[in-house]
């Protein structure tokens, strides 16, 4: 797959150099901006990588007009994608290190794990994320994917200041039982620290990262419990999207709109 959109191209990584460029962008965002802790080897190379990378497919957004001849500096946005088939054949899902994914692993439906999503600072607020999502949509459609999931992060490794946001997610966006994965018991952080009536919805909205909000607008849910990732300096939640439920949600919404317009 490949999408050409003027200045940008979206495609799957085709070489080790492509993957290295994705890892360079991830280093800039997750290490230099967000405070993740790299190994000495990764710091020397300025690449954020892990043992799962060889098993993922890497969706990259390339800036064809980047003011550099260094191919490692031309990637403007990334996603990494692990289908259920590849997970079973290889190393498994990355998210299984944080969540019990048994419910997803036992589904008779096609699944993809989304991870390491980021856009370089100069490209935020523009078309970059939209183009990445267009590429993701083409990937999901072409592979017949029905369930998308992955961990999404709040900056900072202390869940206490995020009580309003986490409680709001738990009370309003908890996944249905058949998809409700749960943080592993040894790392489980309750997300319902506050009862619904004590949640400041405006504060919660300010605290929830834009990417998580976007997933929720598409009809996404969250799993039960959060996970503190001290190496990445984040509090993680597991976000899940069921394409069948998403279609039903938008059909209902537009049906109501049509009825009210008559």
């Amino acid at each position: 797959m490949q999408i050409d959109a003027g200045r940008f191209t979206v495609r799957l990584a085709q070489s080790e150099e492509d993957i290295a460029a994705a890892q360079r962008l991830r280093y800039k965002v997750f290490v230099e901006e967000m405070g993740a802790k790299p190994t000495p080897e990764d710091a020397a190379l300025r690449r954020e990588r892990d043992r799962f990378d060889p098993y993922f497919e890497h969706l990259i957004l390339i800036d064809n007009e980047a003011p550099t001849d260094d191919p490692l500096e031309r990637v403007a946005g990334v996603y990494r994608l692990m289908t259920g088939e590849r997970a079973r054949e290889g190393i498994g899902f990355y998210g299984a290190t944080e969540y019990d994914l048994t419910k997803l692993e036992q589904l008779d439906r096609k699944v993809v794990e989304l991870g390491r999503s980021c856009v370089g600072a100069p490209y935020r607020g523009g078309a970059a994320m939209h183009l990445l999502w267009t590429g993701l949509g083409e990937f999901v459609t072409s592979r017949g994917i029905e369930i998308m999931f992955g961990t999404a992060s709040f900056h900072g490794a202390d869940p206490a200041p995020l009580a309003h946001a986490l409680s709001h997610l738990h009370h309003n966006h908890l996944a249905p039982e058949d998809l409700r994965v749960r943080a592993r018991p040894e790392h489980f952080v309750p997300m319902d620290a506050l009862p619904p009536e004590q949640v400041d919805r405006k504060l919660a909205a300010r605290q929830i990262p834009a990417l998580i909000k976007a997933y929720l607008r598409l009809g996404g849910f969250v799993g039960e419990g959060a996970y503190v990732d001290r190496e990445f300096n984040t509090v993680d939640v597991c976000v899940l999207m069921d394409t069948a439920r998403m279609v039903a949600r938008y059909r209902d919404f537009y049906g109501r709109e049509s009825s009210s317009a008559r």
Side-chain angles (χ1 to χ4, degrees):
M1 60 154 287
Q2 179 166 314
I3 300 170
D4 294 306
R7 175 177 177 176
F8 298 103
T9 297
V10 182
R11 61 173 172 80
L12 293 172
Q14 299 168 350
S15 65
E16 289 300 318
E17 186 177 77
D18 282 346
I19 296 173
Q23 293 168 338
R24 171 63 56 81
L25 176 63
R26 284 161 38 183
Y27 188 90
K28 291 178 182 178
V29 174
F30 298 125
V31 176
E32 295 179 349
E33 289 187 41
M34 298 182 64
K37 300 172 185 175
T39 65
E41 294 79 11
D42 289 353
L45 293 171
R46 294 185 65 231
R47 288 165 59 183
E48 190 279 307
R49 53 188 181 166
D50 65 16
R51 62 191 177 91
F52 289 86
D53 271 330
Y55 299 90
F56 274 86
E57 294 180 80
H58 299 262
L59 185 68
I60 56 176
L61 173 71
I62 301 167
D63 181 356
N64 299 310
E65 299 176 8
T68 177
D69 293 327
D70 185 349
L72 296 188
E73 300 291 341
R74 299 178 71 86
V75 168
V78 299
Y79 255 109
R80 68 178 191 179
L81 312 170
M82 176 86 78
T83 62
E85 293 88 347
R86 287 179 74 116
R88 285 190 293 272
E89 294 169 359
I91 199 170
F93 290 120
Y94 170 84
T97 62
E98 301 184 9
Y99 284 81
D100 179 353
L101 301 178
T102 303
K103 289 185 176 181
L104 299 183
E105 293 166 344
Q106 293 178 345
L107 285 176
D108 187 25
R109 304 175 70 188
K110 289 194 174 183
V111 174
V112 68
E113 179 178 28
L114 316 178
R116 293 298 200 273
S117 171
C118 62
V119 172
Y123 304 96
R124 292 170 197 162
M129 198 67 210
H130 173 74
L131 287 169
L132 265 181
W133 278 35
T134 300
L136 176 61
E138 187 167 312
F139 179 93
V140 166
T141 301
S142 66
R143 305 291 181 93
I145 302 295
E146 296 180 79
I147 304 293
M148 297 175 278
F149 79 96
T151 57
S153 302
F154 291 80
H155 184 47
D158 182 1
L162 302 172
H164 288 272
L166 295 175
S167 298
H168 173 79
L169 292 176
H170 177 89
H171 296 308
N172 296 280
H173 299 284
L174 196 61
E177 189 62 39
D178 60 316
L179 298 180
R180 192 176 303 169
V181 301
R182 184 177 171 89
R184 292 198 169 278
E186 64 270 27
H187 303 293
F188 187 92
V189 175
M191 292 172 61
D192 56 349
L194 299 173
E197 65 274 10
Q198 291 184 19
V199 174
D200 183 329
R201 297 176 68 91
K202 290 184 178 179
L203 175 57
R206 290 197 299 270
Q207 291 181 329
I208 296 174
L211 183 62
I212 296 178
K213 288 179 183 176
Y215 289 144
L216 298 178
R217 283 196 296 271
L218 288 173
F221 309 103
V222 296
E224 188 167 3
Y227 172 90
V228 177
D229 189 335
R230 302 199 183 280
E231 287 190 7
F232 261 78
N233 190 35
T234 59
V235 173
D236 296 347
V237 297
C238 188
V239 180
L240 308 102
M241 290 172 285
D242 181 341
T243 57
R245 286 182 171 98
M246 288 162 63
V247 169
R249 171 178 174 154
Y250 281 96
R251 184 188 300 120
D252 291 346
F253 173 78
Y254 287 114
R256 289 195 301 272
E257 289 291 296
S258 299
S259 296
S260 65
R262 291 194 185 99

